[in-house]
Amino acid sequence: MYTTKNNNQYLQYNEKASVICCRTFYDNEYYVILNDLKNKYYKTNIFRGKDMDYTIRKNYGIHKVFVESLHNFQPYGINKKQHQKKSYITAFKYVFPNSEQILPVMSLTFMRPKYYVLWLNENENEKVFND
């Protein structure tokens, strides 16, 4: 699935989008899933605009939160285990407090073509693969 930079929409035909592939680094001891009712850092609901716990930032931890297309990929139901089954796309968002925890590896550009051709050779005699 591809999205545009403005509305988390599918790409139109012949529209392009870029993806940056990165390597990330974090301490597993400070890996916090915000949807988990039993996380040890936050006992109350936290939402946008609040700072990450200092201990997590200092020890190169991260936040992970479940998001879904039904709510425009915004955090919804943090600290609740109720998620809608009606969402077309579900994902996890990650928050890294320190820029040195993300190392860019490569950048790719994708285009959604209007048509594509899938070639299938059904001739049994020609199913030979050359090096």
Side-chain angles (χ1 to χ4, degrees):
M1 302 296 166
Y2 309 112
T3 60
T4 60
K5 60 185 172 185
N6 297 331
N7 298 320
N8 293 321
Q9 300 276 331
Y10 294 111
L11 291 177
Q12 300 300 314
Y13 295 125
N14 297 323
E15 188 177 7
K16 295 179 182 179
S18 296
V19 175
I20 299 174
C21 300
C22 299
R23 178 79 175 128
T24 59
F25 304 93
Y26 58 90
D27 187 339
N28 281 332
E29 287 289 317
Y30 301 95
Y31 172 82
V32 180
I33 301 172
L34 297 181
N35 302 95
D36 185 2
L37 292 168
K38 298 177 183 173
N39 79 65
K40 62 184 177 181
Y41 295 98
Y42 305 104
K43 302 300 179 205
T44 61
N45 289 350
I46 65 163
F47 242 79
R48 299 174 203 95
K50 293 196 177 180
D51 288 336
M52 183 181 285
D53 186 275
Y54 176 74
T55 309
I56 297 170
R57 285 183 291 157
K58 181 180 78 169
N59 292 295
Y60 296 92
I62 62 170
H63 279 177
K64 175 182 172 182
V65 66
F66 178 81
V67 295
E68 49 193 346
S69 59
L70 187 64
H71 300 288
N72 294 323
F73 301 98
Q74 297 299 317
Y76 174 81
I78 291 179
N79 294 335
K80 294 180 183 175
K81 289 198 174 190
Q82 302 170 1
H83 298 297
Q84 299 291 328
K85 301 286 184 184
K86 299 176 185 176
S87 286
Y88 190 63
I89 301 172
T90 61
F92 287 101
K93 280 190 176 181
Y94 298 86
V95 177
F96 293 85
N98 304 298
S99 60
E100 58 268 12
Q101 289 179 259
I102 302 172
L103 178 66
V105 176
M106 70 176 144
S107 175
L108 304 170
T109 301
F110 292 93
M111 182 181 77
R112 180 182 177 196
K114 190 166 187 176
Y115 303 101
Y116 63 92
V117 177
L118 179 62
W119 185 275
L120 178 63
N121 187 356
E122 294 182 353
N123 187 347
E124 289 292 327
N125 296 330
E126 294 184 18
K127 288 190 178 179
V128 177
F129 299 100
N130 295 326
D131 289 339

